[in-house]
Amino acid sequence: MAFGPHLLLATLDGLVTAAILALTALGLSLVFGVMRVVNVAHGEFFMLGAIVAWFVSSLVDAHPAIGFLAALVVSPLVVGAVALVSERLVLRRLNYQPEATIVATIGMLYIIQQLALTTFGPAARAVPAPFSLRIDFPWFGYSGYKLAVIAAAVLLILATWFVLTRTRVGLVMRATQYDSETAQAFGIPVDRVYAGVFATGAMLAAVAAVLIVPVQQAYYLMGLDPLLLSFIVVIIGGLGSLRGTVVAAVLVGVGDGVVSAFFSPTLAKIIATLLVALVLVFRPQGLFGTTAR
Amino acid sequence: MTDRAFAPTLALHLGVIAVLAVLQFVLPDYHHGLLARIMVLAIFAMGYNLLFGYVGLLSLGHAMFFSAGLYGAGLPVFHLGWGVPAAFAAGIAAGGLLALLVGVLVLRTTGVAFMIVTMMFAQAFYLAILYFAPWTKGSEGFVLPQAARAIDIAGARWDLTSPSMRYWTALLLFSAVLALTLYVARSPYGRVLVAIRENEERTRMLGYDTFATKLLAVVLSGAICAASGAAYVLIFGYAGSTLASIQYSILPLLWVLLGGAATTLGPLLGTVFMYYVIDVASGYTTAWLLIVGIVLILLVLFFPRGVLGTIRERWVPWLP
């Protein structure tokens, strides 16, 4: 393949990564923005989403599309419920202190990962795509499903943005983010907002996982990469900034796709990780973010 | 701090070392080997405790210092045929230098950003070990030849492959680092570290250069952790990239939290306890990560001061 088409292919794959990454990182960013909690178990919610999707689609004995749609509904609900329970049982009791919650979510990471290994097993398992459509470019054929993933992610991100900026629920969330004490004084049930936000963040990761699982397979260790990449995206985009998160996800996703197509993926990761650490050291508010309060 | 208060402290620490020395003759083979390993890893925990317990800086990246010692000592022996003392020194130097470099950068951040940045540097270090797999042998790791793991001192041969010499070496290093942390904790410098943990602004206002103080603590902590890594590879003869993975950044945190942060003996207690919990549990189930997770959550929820921290708070206020 010539350089041009090769670049196009890498860019397309990068866009798929970016779409999934944006959804996952959006969840992390939401939780950090509103609750000031760094959720280290976020990647495990992603993994849990993929695994539940596999269970659901293997139970449904019909056309793959029906199993997939069932997974798209059931998986976020299950993951949201798990997140809700852990928020009530652990995070709330810690009063959301930043350092204690990091240690606690590390504990959650281990528990979820180990339970997944025990119940699901160490093998990677595939979920059939809801449809198989091949879109032919002049130089190569490309999976239509992957393009659908990008479209679905864009729709979901727009929906999240709409909810946050144009609805009452979003207003309540933003008020809590801006000043939780004043919000409480104005009668906003901050406690319940936190629970809802934590569950929503986890559900965004689960949806992203269900979308990608026909391409990537479900595996009990699959949570680590999305976690680190989401950290990178959220940091570059500015902690808690929605627009920054999406822009950074596209940058990182496409950049990662293109760089790993032409150079060693490990080297690309090393450089990306170091760059991000340096961004956080020298520009803690992120490249696009406003100053954190 | 009068000398009267120091007497029980000294007796306690000497007592612990004496008990460890006696155990060497009592324990069956399996536990003998396990305890040698635990003492080496307890050094790692003590290095972590210096930064986390006394300065209050929660790092999620100490695996990079441990593995800097591991590879700093292991690679010269493996590729260049260096002797044990030179390799040990090289390991500590590698960890100290890395800590200096990383410290200058990460100390510009605080709180959550500090944790994430340390984690990212450690992750980059881990990936670098994989990237240089032709030399480091990546995740498969390398084993040091038995012949290379011995020291010749004036005709006598100090063979690190024999179980009893391993135990004595581990105990010797452990005691040295324990003495060092006790000294630091009681020194004026250690008091400044605690002052920074409690209120950094006020400490600065009193005229202390808090950045330099913290940087020295990072370097000390990094060098101690590197000493643990260097001892690990020289005594047990294996180095692999899993020892640099994120899990090895979290384990010392777990050990220190369990034993009691900012106590001199807490790291040892936490390491022993956690090692045996996992050892016993793995007799029944392979799900030892589950236990690590549950213990972490229970600790932060109900026992944030750890075992010795709670004992000090309730009953024995002089405990260092």
Side-chain angles (χ1 to χ4, degrees), chain A residues 19-31 42 45-47 49-50 72 75-77 79-80 83 152-153 155-161 163-164 173 196-212 230 242 245:
Chain A
I20 295 306
L21 193 53
L23 272 180
T24 316
L26 206 56
L28 194 70
S29 171
L30 198 64
V31 169
H42 196 65
F45 289 141
F46 180 87
M47 179 270 289
L72 205 52
S75 173
L77 288 178
V79 173
L155 280 179
L156 279 167
I157 290 166
L158 285 177
T160 313
W161 173 80
V163 168
L164 276 177
M173 277 189 193
V197 164
F198 196 73
T200 311
M203 286 166 84
L204 279 170
V207 170
V210 178
L211 285 176
I212 200 65
S230 300
L242 230 155
T245 304

Side-chain angles (χ1 to χ4, degrees), chain A residues 168-180:
Chain A
R168 202 184 138 68
V169 176
L171 185 67
V172 166
M173 277 189 193
R174 281 183 291 137
T176 313
Q177 165 166 10
Y178 194 72
D179 187 339
S180 60

Side-chain angles (χ1 to χ4, degrees), chain A residues 51-167:
Chain A
I51 282 179
V52 174
W54 179 83
F55 271 116
V56 171
S57 74
S58 64
L59 282 179
V60 176
D61 191 20
H63 190 270
I66 297 172
F68 180 81
L69 285 178
L72 205 52
V73 175
V74 174
S75 173
L77 288 178
V78 172
V79 173
V82 171
L84 199 64
V85 169
S86 45
E87 199 272 346
R88 292 286 91 171
L89 283 184
V90 180
L91 298 188
R92 187 169 62 142
R93 289 173 188 231
L94 292 172
N95 285 325
Y96 310 103
Q97 308 156 36
E99 307 199 341
T101 47
I102 285 196
V103 178
T105 51
I106 291 173
M108 278 154 53
L109 178 157
Y110 283 142
I111 293 175
I112 297 175
Q113 203 175 78
Q114 189 68 59
L115 289 178
L117 176 62
T118 319
T119 54
F120 179 78
R125 297 173 206 222
V127 172
F131 58 88
S132 55
L133 174 73
R134 193 180 148 90
I135 295 179
D136 279 315
F137 289 90
W139 316 278
F140 55 83
Y142 200 71
S143 150
Y145 177 72
K146 283 191 185 176
L147 297 178
V149 167
I150 300 177
V154 170
L155 280 179
L156 279 167
I157 290 166
L158 285 177
T160 313
W161 173 80
F162 181 82
V163 168
L164 276 177
T165 53
R166 295 283 186 275
T167 64

Side-chain angles (χ1 to χ4, degrees), chain B:
Chain B
M1 276 294 158
T2 59
D3 278 331
R4 208 159 53 93
F6 185 54
T9 304
L10 194 64
L12 178 70
H13 287 74
L14 289 177
V16 168
I17 293 171
V19 167
L20 285 171
V22 171
L23 277 177
Q24 131 102 331
F25 303 105
V26 184
L27 287 176
D29 280 353
Y30 173 72
H31 294 279
H32 184 268
L34 200 59
L35 199 56
R37 200 169 289 248
I38 289 174
M39 284 190 289
V40 170
L41 290 174
I43 298 175
F44 185 17
M46 287 192 282
Y48 187 84
N49 184 31
L50 186 67
L51 202 60
F52 170 61
Y54 293 98
V55 197
L57 290 170
L58 199 164
S59 145
L60 289 179
H62 261 52
M64 71 179 142
F65 302 131
F66 180 75
S67 51
L70 195 76
Y71 285 99
L75 289 176
V77 175
F78 190 65
H79 290 291
L80 307 171
W82 283 22
V84 169
F88 188 64
I92 295 180
L97 273 178
L98 181 70
L100 182 67
L101 193 72
V102 169
V104 168
L105 292 171
V106 296
L107 285 176
R108 296 172 57 106
T109 63
T110 50
V112 169
F114 182 85
M115 301 178 182
I116 297 178
V117 173
T118 48
M119 188 171 87
M120 298 209 131
F121 275 119
Q123 184 67 14
F125 194 81
Y126 169 68
L127 290 170
I129 290 171
L130 292 182
Y131 184 69
F132 291 107
W135 293 282
T136 62
K137 307 277 181 246
S139 57
E140 187 188 320
F142 59 85
V143 175
L144 292 185
Q146 295 216 337
R149 285 154 51 203
I151 315 168
D152 287 308
I153 306 169
R157 195 164 167 77
W158 185 305
D159 187 1
L160 291 177
T161 54
S162 93
S164 70
M165 288 323 280
R166 278 182 181 176
Y167 194 97
W168 283 120
T169 315
L171 180 61
L172 185 73
L173 288 174
F174 170 80
S175 312
V177 174
L178 183 65
L180 178 69
T181 50
L182 182 63
Y183 172 75
V184 169
R186 292 174 52 87
S187 70
Y189 171 71
R191 302 281 144 183
V192 179
L193 291 183
V194 174
I196 290 175
R197 181 187 72 198
E198 296 303 325
N199 192 333
E200 181 164 356
E201 281 302 311
R202 195 172 293 175
T203 316
R204 205 189 344 253
M205 208 185 70
L206 287 172
Y208 290 101
D209 182 348
T210 54
F211 183 83
T213 314
K214 286 195 290 184
L215 187 60
L216 181 59
V218 172
V219 172
L220 252 170
S221 166
I224 293 176
C225 293
S228 165
Y232 192 93
V233 72
L234 293 172
I235 296 178
F236 305 109
Y238 172 76
S241 68
T242 35
L243 293 169
S245 66
I246 199 160
Q247 221 166 67
Y248 276 80
S249 293
I250 299 196
L251 284 176
L253 168 67
L254 176 68
W255 296 329
V256 170
L257 270 177
L258 181 62
T263 62
T264 47
L265 289 168
L268 174 70
L269 193 72
T271 315
V272 170
F273 189 77
M274 210 52 224
Y275 233 84
Y276 272 94
V277 165
I278 290 172
D279 193 59
V280 170
S282 48
Y284 301 99
T285 161
T286 51
W288 64 274
L289 273 181
L290 187 69
I291 295 160
V292 173
I294 291 173
V295 171
L296 268 177
I297 290 180
L298 291 180
L299 275 175
V300 285
L301 271 180
F302 304 111
F303 245 107
R305 289 180 190 282
V307 176
L308 286 185
T310 309
I311 290 179
R312 171 163 65 188
E313 196 176 51
R314 301 249 171 95
W315 300 292
V316 196
W318 55 265
L319 203 70

